[in-house]
Amino acid sequence: MAEAYPWQDSLWQQLAGRAQHAHAYLLHGPMGIGKRALAERLMARLLCQRPEGLDACGQCKSCMLLKAGSHPDNYILEPEEADKAIKVDQVRDLVSFVVQTAQLGGRKVVLIEPVESMNINASNALLKSLEEPSGDTVLLLVSHQTSRLLPTIKSRCVQQACPLPSEAMSLQWLAKALPDCAEEERIELLTLAAGSPLAAVKLQGQGVREQRALVVEGVKKLLKQQQSPTQLAEEWKSIPMLQLFDWFCDWSSLILRYQLTQDEEGLGLADMRKVVQYLAQKTAQEKVLNIQDWILAQRQKVMSKANLNPALLLEALLVQWVSLPAQK
Ligand SMILES: [Zn+2]
């Protein structure tokens, strides 16, 4: 059965407790908070032949088939490869599933994630199924970024926002999920994950705290001229490029913020506070703005998986970074 997260309790009661179900739901909110699990839980509930209370029974024929991954009346549509688009042919297959009769005589349930990975042709093909509901089919659309959806898709769904849990609730949950971390480390992970508890667990698994420590130490040595951009680019080559660009982007924002507000509360995580403050004092604002523009533009290229030479790009970033405090 899909995992039930404590921050989804009231959301779940609202959704599962509806007397009548909508033809299509759009579950949207930030990444890493369990929207997919929520959709899977609702899928099981909608397909279950003997629901108990708000949840699926876990024992009927439908629940057993779903567990085995061989339920004839559910359909999961997602990119064939991670981070790639959902293709129009995939949506066409879905559309022919939607017009069939349910084989177990109950509902059919479709789960699409992430909806924004459909291009315009795929989206238009899906619109037909949203416009002409077929029998007792329920579509569950999961989106991390509704701004990228066609307005016509959004308007045909019951929209259900899935908010970020409060910090207190996330930390309480993380205490159980990451019992070997200290409280301070869990706070750091949650910050690095922009408040998403599931993303925090994933980051811990990827060794992000160790990577961050390595990068922070490197940046300090770079500014003291103890290590060169070339050496650091070599040392950091196992760290995901996007992660590096996110950190530098974050630091440039913090420098600007401090230049504008002089607010010591807004210096970010403890490991870089002194460096951020130092660079804010020593660098002309225009230079910070320039490097931030450059970082954002390169980050976009990294995201689009353009053909880049990572070592050269990283070196270019570090050469600019080390020259920030040169003269004011
Ligand atoms: Zn059941």
Side-chain angles (χ1 to χ4, degrees):
M1 196 184 297
E3 180 112 32
Y5 298 107
W7 55 87
Q8 292 175 339
D9 282 353
S10 67
L11 201 61
W12 176 249
Q13 298 197 350
Q14 263 177 53
L15 269 176
R18 288 173 72 109
Q20 271 209 315
H21 275 283
H23 172 58
Y25 293 96
L26 175 60
L27 306 174
H28 62 93
M31 287 242 231
I33 57 163
K35 297 188 297 299
R36 172 66 177 255
L38 188 71
E40 286 183 359
R41 192 178 173 195
L42 186 57
M43 179 164 75
R45 170 65 174 79
L46 290 170
L47 290 171
C48 177
Q49 295 166 331
R50 291 194 305 268
E52 291 166 350
L54 291 183
D55 265 302
C57 74
Q59 281 147 23
C60 68
K61 186 178 177 193
S62 178
C63 286
M64 297 311 268
L65 284 169
L66 195 60
K67 260 187 240 174
S70 48
H71 201 296
D73 299 326
N74 94 303
Y75 198 102
I76 295 183
L77 180 62
E78 53 196 351
E80 285 167 351
E81 283 174 77
D83 302 327
K84 293 280 163 61
I86 291 177
K87 296 179 194 138
V88 65
D89 288 342
Q90 289 178 271
V91 179
R92 290 201 183 109
D93 291 344
L94 166 71
V95 171
S96 47
F97 166 82
V98 169
V99 296
Q100 288 164 18
T101 314
Q103 293 192 34
L104 293 192
R107 289 189 178 98
K108 282 183 299 174
V109 181
V110 174
L111 193 163
I112 309 178
E113 190 219 354
V115 197
E116 57 270 22
S117 68
M118 288 188 294
N119 62 20
I120 187 90
N121 290 337
S123 298
N124 281 324
L126 177 72
L127 268 179
K128 281 225 161 55
S129 295
L130 287 170
E131 275 163 3
E132 300 154 21
S134 158
D136 221 355
T137 304
V138 178
L139 285 90
L140 306 175
L141 281 62
V142 176
S143 172
H144 317 299
Q145 236 185 323
T146 48
S147 59
R148 287 172 57 197
L149 302 182
L150 286 182
T152 41
I153 297 250
K154 288 193 259 189
S155 66
R156 281 164 180 75
C157 299
V158 168
Q159 298 196 32
Q160 179 63 62
C162 305
L164 208 59
S166 69
E167 191 186 13
M169 187 169 260
S170 295
L171 288 174
Q172 201 180 2
W173 182 81
L174 283 173
K176 283 184 200 150
L178 299 173
D180 297 334
C181 287
E183 174 79 359
E184 198 184 321
E185 292 166 352
R186 289 192 287 259
I187 293 173
E188 198 181 308
L189 282 166
L190 190 62
T191 310
L192 290 172
S196 299
L198 305 184
V201 171
K202 202 171 153 194
L203 287 178
Q204 167 69 5
Q206 291 166 346
V208 80
R209 289 184 43 254
E210 292 75 11
Q211 291 174 351
R212 166 109 178 175
L214 186 73
V215 172
V216 166
E217 194 197 327
V219 170
K220 290 176 182 169
K221 285 188 172 162
L222 176 77
L223 292 169
K224 289 180 190 157
Q225 320 251 333
Q226 293 168 348
Q227 265 191 310
S228 73
T230 322
Q231 285 170 325
L232 287 176
E234 172 66 23
E235 203 170 285
W236 296 350
K237 67 181 175 197
S238 65
I239 302 175
M241 209 55 178
L242 196 58
Q243 178 70 79
L244 288 168
F245 271 84
D246 279 350
W247 284 336
F248 278 92
C249 190
D250 195 28
W251 293 328
S252 62
S253 304
L254 290 170
I255 294 171
L256 280 172
R257 187 179 185 281
Y258 186 72
Q259 287 183 330
L260 295 170
T261 64
Q262 301 290 311
D263 172 16
E264 297 195 1
E265 297 293 303
L267 288 166
L269 282 176
D271 56 3
M272 277 290 281
R273 263 175 225 158
K274 285 211 170 106
V275 177
V276 165
Q277 202 171 15
Y278 166 78
L279 288 174
Q281 286 158 351
K282 297 283 178 190
T283 313
Q285 201 179 89
E286 200 192 334
K287 251 178 136 179
V288 187
L289 285 167
N290 285 344
I291 198 169
Q292 190 175 42
D293 276 351
W294 185 86
I295 293 173
L296 285 172
Q298 303 307 315
R299 186 184 179 279
Q300 204 56 42
K301 285 187 203 162
V302 174
M303 271 179 57
S304 66
K305 302 191 163 48
N307 209 358
L308 302 164
N309 180 330
L312 281 182
L313 185 59
L314 203 48
E315 252 187 86
L317 168 64
L318 294 173
V319 166
Q320 292 179 71
W321 196 264
V322 75
S323 76
L324 277 182
Q327 65 277 108
K328 189 164 180 170

